[in-house]
Coordinates of all heavy atoms in Angstrom, one line a residue:
M1 N 68.0 143.4 129.3 CA 68.3 142.0 129.4 C 69.7 141.8 128.8 O 70.0 142.3 127.8 CB 67.2 141.2 128.6 CG 67.5 139.8 128.7 SD 66.0 139.0 128.0 CE 66.5 137.3 128.2
D2 N 70.4 140.9 129.4 CA 71.8 140.6 129.0 C 71.8 139.5 128.0 O 71.3 138.4 128.3 CB 72.6 140.3 130.2 CG 74.1 140.1 129.9 OD1 74.5 140.5 128.8 OD2 74.8 139.6 130.7
D3 N 72.3 139.8 126.8 CA 72.4 138.7 125.7 C 73.6 137.8 125.9 O 73.7 136.9 125.1 CB 72.4 139.4 124.4 CG 71.1 140.1 124.0 OD1 70.1 139.6 124.6 OD2 71.1 141.0 123.2
S4 N 74.4 138.0 126.8 CA 75.7 137.2 126.9 C 75.3 135.8 127.4 O 76.2 134.9 127.2 CB 76.7 137.8 127.9 OG 76.1 137.9 129.2
H5 N 74.2 135.5 127.9 CA 73.8 134.2 128.4 C 73.0 133.4 127.3 O 72.7 132.2 127.5 CB 72.9 134.3 129.6 CG 73.7 134.9 130.8 ND1 74.8 134.3 131.4 CD2 73.5 136.1 131.4 CE1 75.2 135.1 132.3 NE2 74.5 136.2 132.4
D6 N 72.8 134.0 126.2 CA 72.0 133.3 125.1 C 73.0 132.5 124.2 O 73.9 133.1 123.6 CB 71.3 134.4 124.2 CG 70.4 133.7 123.2 OD1 70.4 132.5 123.1 OD2 69.8 134.5 122.4
P7 N 73.0 131.2 124.2 CA 74.0 130.4 123.5 C 73.9 130.6 122.0 O 74.9 130.5 121.3 CB 73.6 129.0 123.8 CG 72.3 129.0 124.4 CD 72.0 130.4 124.9
A8 N 72.7 131.0 121.4 CA 72.6 131.2 120.0 C 73.4 132.5 119.6 O 73.9 132.5 118.4 CB 71.2 131.4 119.6
L9 N 73.5 133.5 120.4 CA 74.3 134.7 120.1 C 75.8 134.5 120.3 O 76.6 135.3 119.8 CB 73.7 135.9 120.9 CG 72.3 136.2 120.5 CD1 71.8 137.3 121.4 CD2 72.1 136.6 119.1
N10 N 76.2 133.6 121.1 CA 77.6 133.4 121.5 C 78.3 132.3 120.7 O 79.4 131.9 121.1 CB 77.7 133.1 123.0 CG 77.4 134.3 123.8 OD1 77.6 135.5 123.4 ND2 76.8 134.1 125.0
K11 N 77.7 131.9 119.6 CA 78.4 130.9 118.8 C 79.6 131.5 118.1 O 79.5 132.6 117.5 CB 77.4 130.3 117.7 CG 76.4 129.4 118.2 CD 75.6 128.9 117.0 CE 74.5 127.9 117.4 NZ 73.7 127.5 116.3
P12 N 80.7 130.8 118.1 CA 81.9 131.3 117.4 C 81.6 131.1 115.9 O 81.0 130.2 115.4 CB 83.0 130.4 117.8 CG 82.4 129.1 118.3 CD 81.0 129.5 118.8
T13 N 82.0 132.1 115.1 CA 81.9 132.1 113.7 C 83.1 131.4 113.1 O 84.2 131.6 113.5 CB 81.7 133.5 113.1 OG1 82.9 134.2 113.4 CG2 80.5 134.1 113.6
L14 N 82.8 130.5 112.2 CA 83.9 129.8 111.5 C 84.5 130.6 110.4 O 83.8 131.3 109.7 CB 83.4 128.5 110.9 CG 82.9 127.5 111.9 CD1 82.3 126.3 111.2 CD2 83.9 127.0 112.9
P15 N 85.8 130.6 110.2 CA 86.4 131.3 109.1 C 86.0 130.7 107.8 O 85.8 129.5 107.6 CB 87.9 131.2 109.3 CG 88.1 130.0 110.1 CD 86.8 129.8 110.9
R16 N 85.9 131.6 106.8 CA 85.5 131.1 105.4 C 86.7 130.3 104.8 O 87.9 130.6 105.0 CB 85.2 132.3 104.5 CG 83.9 132.9 104.9 CD 83.6 134.0 103.8 NE 82.3 134.4 104.1 CZ 81.4 134.8 103.2 NH1 81.7 134.7 101.9 NH2 80.2 135.2 103.5
R17 N 86.3 129.2 104.1 CA 87.3 128.4 103.5 C 87.8 129.1 102.2 O 87.0 129.6 101.5 CB 86.7 127.1 103.2 CG 87.6 126.0 102.8 CD 86.9 124.7 102.7 NE 86.1 124.7 101.4 CZ 85.3 123.8 101.1 NH1 85.2 122.7 101.8 NH2 84.6 123.9 100.0
A18 N 89.1 129.1 102.0 CA 89.7 129.7 100.8 C 89.3 128.9 99.6 O 89.3 127.6 99.6 CB 91.2 129.8 101.0
R19 N 88.9 129.6 98.5 CA 88.6 128.9 97.3 C 89.8 128.5 96.6 O 90.8 129.2 96.4 CB 87.7 129.8 96.4 CG 87.2 129.2 95.2 CD 86.2 130.1 94.4 NE 85.1 130.6 95.2 CZ 84.0 129.9 95.5 NH1 83.9 128.7 95.1 NH2 83.1 130.5 96.2
T20 N 89.9 127.2 96.1 CA 91.1 126.7 95.5 C 91.1 127.1 94.0 O 92.2 127.3 93.5 CB 91.1 125.2 95.6 OG1 89.9 124.6 95.0 CG2 91.2 124.8 97.1
K21 N 90.0 127.2 93.4 CA 90.0 127.7 92.0 C 88.8 128.5 91.7 O 87.7 128.4 92.4 CB 90.0 126.5 91.0 CG 88.9 125.5 91.1 CD 89.1 124.4 90.2 CE 87.9 123.4 90.3 NZ 88.0 122.3 89.4
P22 N 88.8 129.4 90.8 CA 87.7 130.3 90.5 C 86.5 129.6 90.0 O 86.6 128.5 89.4 CB 88.2 131.3 89.5 CG 89.3 130.6 88.9 CD 89.9 129.7 89.9
L23 N 85.3 130.1 90.2 CA 84.1 129.5 89.7 C 84.1 129.7 88.2 O 84.5 130.7 87.6 CB 82.9 130.2 90.3 CG 82.6 130.0 91.7 CD1 81.4 130.8 92.2 CD2 82.3 128.5 92.0
V24 N 83.5 128.8 87.5 CA 83.4 128.8 86.0 C 81.9 128.9 85.7 O 81.1 128.2 86.2 CB 84.0 127.6 85.4 CG1 83.8 127.6 83.9 CG2 85.5 127.5 85.7
R25 N 81.5 129.9 84.8 CA 80.2 130.0 84.4 C 79.9 129.1 83.2 O 80.6 129.2 82.2 CB 79.9 131.4 84.0 CG 78.5 131.6 83.4 CD 78.2 133.0 83.1 NE 77.7 133.6 84.3 CZ 77.4 134.9 84.4 NH1 77.6 135.7 83.5 NH2 77.0 135.4 85.6
H26 N 78.9 128.3 83.3 CA 78.5 127.4 82.2 C 77.2 127.9 81.7 O 76.2 127.9 82.4 CB 78.4 125.9 82.7 CG 79.7 125.3 83.1 ND1 80.6 124.9 82.2 CD2 80.2 125.2 84.3 CE1 81.7 124.4 82.9 NE2 81.4 124.6 84.2
I27 N 77.2 128.2 80.4 CA 75.9 128.6 79.8 C 75.5 127.6 78.8 O 76.3 127.2 77.9 CB 76.1 130.0 79.0 CG1 76.5 131.1 80.1 CG2 74.8 130.4 78.3 CD1 76.8 132.4 79.5
L28 N 74.4 127.0 79.0 CA 73.9 126.0 78.1 C 73.1 126.6 77.0 O 72.2 127.3 77.2 CB 72.9 125.0 78.9 CG 72.3 123.9 78.1 CD1 73.4 122.9 77.7 CD2 71.3 123.2 79.0
P29 N 73.7 126.4 75.8 CA 72.9 127.0 74.6 C 71.6 126.4 74.4 O 71.5 125.2 74.2 CB 73.9 126.8 73.4 CG 74.7 125.7 73.8 CD 74.8 125.7 75.3
S30 N 70.6 127.1 74.5 CA 69.2 126.6 74.5 C 68.9 126.0 73.1 O 68.0 125.1 73.0 CB 68.2 127.6 74.8 OG 68.3 128.7 74.0
D31 N 69.5 126.5 72.0 CA 69.2 125.9 70.7 C 69.8 124.5 70.6 O 69.3 123.8 69.7 CB 69.8 126.8 69.6 CG 69.0 128.1 69.6 OD1 67.9 128.2 70.0 OD2 69.6 129.1 69.1
N32 N 70.7 124.1 71.4 CA 71.4 122.8 71.2 C 70.9 121.8 72.3 O 71.4 120.7 72.4 CB 72.9 123.0 71.3 CG 73.4 123.8 70.2 OD1 72.8 123.8 69.1 ND2 74.5 124.5 70.4
H33 N 70.0 122.2 73.2 CA 69.5 121.3 74.2 C 68.1 120.8 73.9 O 67.2 121.6 73.6 CB 69.5 122.1 75.6 CG 69.4 121.1 76.7 ND1 68.1 120.7 77.2 CD2 70.3 120.6 77.5 CE1 68.3 119.9 78.2 NE2 69.6 119.8 78.4
G34 N 68.0 119.5 73.9 CA 66.8 118.8 73.5 C 65.5 119.2 74.3 O 64.5 119.5 73.7
F35 N 65.6 119.3 75.6 CA 64.5 119.6 76.4 C 64.0 121.0 76.2 O 62.8 121.2 76.0 CB 64.8 119.4 77.9 CG 63.7 119.8 78.8 CD1 62.6 119.0 79.0 CD2 63.8 121.0 79.5 CE1 61.5 119.4 79.8 CE2 62.8 121.4 80.4 CZ 61.6 120.6 80.5
I36 N 64.9 121.9 76.2 CA 64.5 123.3 76.0 C 63.9 123.5 74.6 O 62.9 124.2 74.4 CB 65.7 124.3 76.2 CG1 66.2 124.1 77.6 CG2 65.4 125.7 75.8 CD1 67.5 124.8 77.9
G37 N 64.5 122.9 73.6 CA 64.0 123.0 72.2 C 62.6 122.4 72.1 O 61.7 123.0 71.5
R38 N 62.4 121.3 72.8 CA 61.1 120.6 72.7 C 60.0 121.4 73.4 O 58.9 121.5 72.9 CB 61.2 119.2 73.4 CG 59.9 118.4 73.3 CD 59.6 118.1 71.9 NE 58.4 117.2 71.8 CZ 57.5 117.3 70.9 NH1 57.7 118.1 69.9 NH2 56.5 116.5 70.9
V39 N 60.3 122.1 74.5 CA 59.3 122.9 75.2 C 59.0 124.1 74.3 O 57.8 124.5 74.2 CB 59.9 123.4 76.6 CG1 59.0 124.5 77.2 CG2 60.0 122.2 77.5
Y40 N 60.0 124.7 73.7 CA 59.7 125.8 72.8 C 58.8 125.3 71.6 O 57.9 126.1 71.2 CB 61.0 126.4 72.2 CG 61.8 127.2 73.2 CD1 63.1 127.6 73.0 CD2 61.2 127.6 74.4 CE1 63.8 128.3 73.9 CE2 61.9 128.4 75.3 CZ 63.2 128.7 75.1 OH 63.9 129.5 76.0
E41 N 59.1 124.2 71.1 CA 58.2 123.6 70.0 C 56.8 123.4 70.5 O 55.9 123.7 69.7 CB 58.8 122.3 69.5 CG 60.1 122.5 68.7 CD 60.7 121.1 68.4 OE1 60.2 120.1 68.7 OE2 61.8 121.2 67.8
L42 N 56.6 122.9 71.7 CA 55.3 122.6 72.1 C 54.5 123.9 72.4 O 53.3 123.9 72.4 CB 55.3 121.7 73.4 CG 55.8 120.3 73.2 CD1 55.9 119.6 74.6 CD2 54.7 119.5 72.4
S43 N 55.2 124.9 72.7 CA 54.5 126.2 73.0 C 54.0 126.9 71.8 O 53.2 127.8 71.9 CB 55.4 127.1 73.8 OG 56.5 127.6 73.0
I44 N 54.3 126.4 70.6 CA 53.8 127.0 69.4 C 52.3 126.9 69.3 O 51.6 127.7 68.6 CB 54.5 126.4 68.2 CG1 56.0 126.8 68.2 CG2 53.9 126.8 66.9 CD1 56.8 126.2 67.1
V45 N 51.8 125.9 69.9 CA 50.3 125.6 69.9 C 49.5 126.8 70.4 O 48.4 127.0 70.1 CB 50.0 124.3 70.6 CG1 50.0 124.5 72.1 CG2 48.6 123.8 70.2
S46 N 50.2 127.7 71.2 CA 49.5 128.9 71.7 C 49.0 129.8 70.6 O 48.1 130.6 70.8 CB 50.4 129.6 72.7 OG 51.4 130.2 72.0
L47 N 49.6 129.7 69.4 CA 49.2 130.6 68.3 C 47.8 130.2 67.8 O 47.2 131.0 67.1 CB 50.2 130.5 67.2 CG 51.6 130.9 67.6 CD1 52.5 130.6 66.4 CD2 51.6 132.4 68.0
N48 N 47.3 129.0 68.2 CA 45.9 128.6 67.7 C 44.8 129.1 68.6 O 43.6 128.9 68.2 CB 45.9 127.1 67.7 CG 46.8 126.5 66.7 OD1 47.0 127.0 65.7 ND2 47.3 125.3 67.0
F49 N 45.1 129.8 69.7 CA 44.1 130.3 70.6 C 44.0 131.9 70.6 O 45.1 132.5 70.5 CB 44.3 129.8 72.0 CG 44.3 128.3 72.1 CD1 45.5 127.6 72.1 CD2 43.1 127.6 72.1 CE1 45.4 126.2 72.2 CE2 43.0 126.3 72.2 CZ 44.2 125.5 72.2
D50 N 42.8 132.4 70.7 CA 42.7 133.9 70.7 C 42.7 134.4 72.1 O 43.0 135.6 72.3 CB 41.3 134.2 70.1 CG 41.3 133.9 68.6 OD1 42.4 134.0 67.9 OD2 40.2 133.6 68.1
S51 N 42.4 133.6 73.1 CA 42.5 134.1 74.5 C 43.0 133.1 75.5 O 43.0 131.9 75.1 CB 41.0 134.5 74.9 OG 40.2 133.4 75.1
Y52 N 43.4 133.5 76.6 CA 43.9 132.6 77.7 C 42.8 131.7 78.1 O 43.0 130.5 78.4 CB 44.5 133.4 78.8 CG 45.0 132.6 79.9 CD1 46.3 132.0 79.9 CD2 44.2 132.2 81.0 CE1 46.8 131.2 80.9 CE2 44.7 131.4 82.1 CZ 46.0 130.9 82.0 OH 46.5 130.1 83.0
E53 N 41.6 132.2 78.3 CA 40.4 131.4 78.7 C 40.2 130.3 77.8 O 39.8 129.2 78.2 CB 39.2 132.3 78.9 CG 39.3 133.3 80.0 CD 40.1 134.5 79.7 OE1 40.3 134.8 78.5 OE2 40.6 135.1 80.7
E54 N 40.2 130.5 76.5 CA 40.0 129.5 75.5 C 41.1 128.4 75.6 O 40.8 127.2 75.5 CB 40.0 130.1 74.1 CG 39.7 129.2 73.0 CD 39.8 129.8 71.6 OE1 39.8 131.1 71.5 OE2 39.7 129.1 70.6
M55 N 42.4 128.9 75.8 CA 43.5 127.9 75.9 C 43.4 127.1 77.2 O 43.8 126.0 77.2 CB 44.8 128.7 75.8 CG 46.0 127.9 75.8 SD 46.7 127.6 77.5 CE 46.8 129.2 78.1
A56 N 43.0 127.7 78.3 CA 42.9 127.1 79.6 C 42.0 125.9 79.6 O 42.0 125.2 80.6 CB 42.6 128.1 80.6
Q57 N 41.1 125.8 78.7 CA 40.2 124.6 78.6 C 41.0 123.3 78.4 O 40.5 122.2 78.6 CB 39.2 124.8 77.5 CG 38.2 125.9 77.8 CD 37.3 126.2 76.6 OE1 37.3 125.4 75.7 NE2 36.5 127.2 76.7
Y58 N 42.2 123.4 77.9 CA 43.0 122.3 77.6 C 44.2 122.2 78.5 O 45.2 122.9 78.4 CB 43.5 122.3 76.1 CG 42.4 122.4 75.1 CD1 42.0 123.7 74.7 CD2 41.8 121.3 74.7 CE1 41.0 123.8 73.8 CE2 40.7 121.4 73.8 CZ 40.3 122.6 73.3 OH 39.3 122.7 72.4
P59 N 44.2 121.4 79.6 CA 45.2 121.4 80.6 C 46.6 121.1 80.1 O 47.6 121.6 80.6 CB 44.7 120.3 81.6 CG 43.3 120.0 81.3 CD 43.1 120.4 79.9
D60 N 46.7 120.2 79.1 CA 48.1 119.9 78.6 C 48.7 121.1 77.9 O 49.9 121.3 78.0 CB 48.0 118.6 77.7 CG 47.0 118.7 76.6 OD1 46.1 119.6 76.7 OD2 47.1 118.0 75.6
V61 N 47.9 121.8 77.2 CA 48.4 123.0 76.5 C 48.8 124.1 77.5 O 49.8 124.7 77.4 CB 47.3 123.6 75.5 CG1 47.8 124.9 74.9 CG2 47.0 122.5 74.4
K62 N 47.9 124.2 78.5 CA 48.2 125.2 79.6 C 49.5 124.9 80.3 O 50.3 125.7 80.6 CB 47.0 125.3 80.5 CG 47.2 126.3 81.6 CD 46.0 126.3 82.6 CE 46.2 127.2 83.7 NZ 45.3 127.1 84.8
Y63 N 49.7 123.6 80.6 CA 50.9 123.2 81.2 C 52.1 123.5 80.4 O 53.1 124.0 80.9 CB 50.8 121.7 81.6 CG 52.1 121.1 82.2 CD1 52.3 121.4 83.5 CD2 53.0 120.4 81.5 CE1 53.5 120.9 84.1 CE2 54.1 119.9 82.0 CZ 54.4 120.1 83.4 OH 55.5 119.7 83.9
A64 N 52.1 123.2 79.1 CA 53.2 123.4 78.2 C 53.5 124.9 78.2 O 54.7 125.3 78.2 CB 52.9 122.9 76.8
L65 N 52.5 125.7 78.1 CA 52.8 127.2 78.1 C 53.3 127.7 79.4 O 54.2 128.6 79.4 CB 51.5 127.9 77.7 CG 51.0 127.7 76.3 CD1 49.7 128.4 76.0 CD2 52.1 128.1 75.3
E66 N 52.9 127.2 80.5 CA 53.4 127.6 81.8 C 54.8 127.2 82.0 O 55.7 127.9 82.5 CB 52.5 127.1 82.9 CG 51.2 127.8 83.0 CD 50.2 127.2 84.0 OE1 50.5 126.2 84.6 OE2 49.1 127.8 84.2
V67 N 55.2 126.0 81.5 CA 56.6 125.5 81.6 C 57.4 126.4 80.7 O 58.5 126.8 81.0 CB 56.7 124.0 81.2 CG1 58.1 123.6 81.0 CG2 56.0 123.2 82.2
N68 N 56.9 126.7 79.5 CA 57.7 127.6 78.6 C 57.9 128.9 79.2 O 59.0 129.5 79.1 CB 56.9 127.7 77.3 CG 57.6 128.5 76.3 OD1 58.9 128.5 76.2 ND2 56.9 129.3 75.5
Y69 N 56.9 129.5 79.9 CA 57.1 130.8 80.5 C 58.2 130.8 81.6 O 59.0 131.6 81.7 CB 55.7 131.2 81.1 CG 55.8 132.5 81.8 CD1 55.8 133.7 81.1 CD2 55.8 132.6 83.2 CE1 55.9 134.9 81.8 CE2 55.9 133.8 83.9 CZ 55.9 135.0 83.1 OH 56.0 136.2 83.8
A70 N 58.1 129.7 82.4 CA 59.1 129.6 83.5 C 60.5 129.3 82.9 O 61.5 129.8 83.4 CB 58.8 128.5 84.4
L71 N 60.6 128.5 81.8 CA 61.9 128.2 81.2 C 62.5 129.4 80.5 O 63.7 129.5 80.6 CB 61.6 127.1 80.2 CG 62.9 126.3 79.7 CD1 63.6 125.7 80.9 CD2 62.4 125.2 78.7
K72 N 61.7 130.2 79.9 CA 62.3 131.4 79.3 C 63.0 132.3 80.3 O 64.0 132.9 80.0 CB 61.2 132.2 78.6 CG 60.8 131.7 77.3 CD 59.8 132.6 76.6 CE 59.4 132.1 75.2 NZ 58.5 133.0 74.6
G73 N 62.5 132.4 81.5 CA 63.2 133.2 82.5 C 64.5 132.5 83.0 O 65.3 133.2 83.6
L74 N 64.7 131.3 82.8 CA 65.9 130.6 83.3 C 67.0 130.4 82.2 O 68.1 130.2 82.6 CB 65.5 129.2 83.8 CG 64.5 129.2 85.0 CD1 64.1 127.7 85.3 CD2 65.2 129.8 86.2
T75 N 66.6 130.5 81.0 CA 67.6 130.3 80.0 C 68.0 131.6 79.3 O 67.3 132.6 79.3 CB 67.0 129.3 78.9 OG1 65.8 129.9 78.3 CG2 66.7 128.0 79.4
R76 N 69.2 131.5 78.7 CA 69.6 132.6 77.8 C 69.8 132.1 76.5 O 70.4 131.0 76.3 CB 71.0 133.1 78.3 CG 70.9 134.2 79.3 CD 72.3 134.8 79.3 NE 72.7 134.8 80.7 CZ 73.9 135.2 81.1 NH1 74.8 135.6 80.2 NH2 74.2 135.2 82.4
R77 N 69.4 132.8 75.5 CA 69.6 132.4 74.1 C 71.0 132.5 73.8 O 71.7 133.4 74.2 CB 68.7 133.2 73.2 CG 67.2 133.2 73.4 CD 66.7 131.8 73.3 NE 66.7 131.5 71.9 CZ 66.2 130.3 71.4 NH1 65.7 129.5 72.2 NH2 66.3 130.1 70.1
W78 N 71.5 131.6 73.0 CA 72.9 131.5 72.6 C 73.4 132.8 71.9 O 74.5 133.3 72.1 CB 73.2 130.3 71.7 CG 74.6 130.1 71.3 CD1 75.1 130.4 70.1 CD2 75.7 129.7 72.1 NE1 76.4 130.1 70.1 CE2 76.8 129.7 71.3 CE3 75.8 129.3 73.5 CZ2 78.1 129.3 71.8 CZ3 77.0 128.9 73.9 CH2 78.1 128.9 73.1
S79 N 72.5 133.4 71.2 CA 72.8 134.6 70.4 C 73.1 135.8 71.3 O 73.9 136.7 70.9 CB 71.7 135.0 69.5 OG 70.5 135.3 70.2
R80 N 72.6 135.8 72.6 CA 72.9 136.9 73.5 C 74.3 136.8 74.1 O 74.9 137.8 74.4 CB 71.9 136.9 74.6 CG 70.6 137.6 74.2 CD 69.9 137.9 75.5 NE 68.5 137.4 75.4 CZ 67.7 137.2 76.4 NH1 68.1 137.4 77.6 NH2 66.5 136.8 76.2
S81 N 74.8 135.6 74.3 CA 76.0 135.4 75.0 C 77.2 135.3 74.0 O 78.4 135.3 74.5 CB 76.0 134.1 75.8 OG 75.8 133.0 74.9
T82 N 77.0 135.3 72.7 CA 78.1 135.2 71.8 C 78.3 136.6 71.1 O 77.4 137.4 71.0 CB 78.0 134.1 70.8 OG1 76.8 134.2 70.1 CG2 78.1 132.8 71.5

């Protein structure tokens, strides 16, 4: 089969636009940000439970711990970047 009649394959590619200035990396220090600090503080309650099943009985605690888990993957501690 001839692909030259397929309009999706014959689209002209646009040239990439030249970057006017370099990208700047912004690292938000987690110790100085209120939301991140508050989530870390709320996750301390996990120390009161012996198992996940016991903690999962409390939906608000479970939510706080799941947010903390996701947030840890997204943030970098200030001490690592300095």
Side-chain angles (χ1 to χ4, degrees):
M1 180 172 182
D2 186 14
D3 290 335
S4 63
H5 299 294
D6 187 358
L9 297 175
N10 290 326
K11 285 185 179 177
T13 58
L14 298 174
R16 289 186 172 217
R17 193 171 72 184
R19 187 173 304 281
T20 57
K21 60 183 181 178
L23 292 176
V24 178
R25 175 179 274 177
H26 295 280
I27 298 174
L28 181 64
S30 59
D31 291 336
N32 297 331
H33 194 274
F35 174 74
I36 297 171
R38 184 66 178 144
V39 170
Y40 287 167
E41 289 172 1
L42 289 173
S43 67
I44 291 174
V45 74
S46 67
L47 300 174
N48 294 327
F49 299 100
D50 294 328
S51 68
Y52 179 83
E53 291 77 20
E54 184 182 347
M55 181 270 310
Q57 295 175 5
Y58 303 95
D60 52 344
V61 174
K62 182 180 175 191
Y63 177 77
L65 292 178
E66 289 174 353
V67 169
N68 181 36
Y69 178 76
L71 195 59
K72 279 185 179 180
L74 297 173
T75 59
R76 265 197 237 179
R77 302 297 291 181
W78 182 254
S79 61
R80 280 196 230 162
S81 63
T82 57

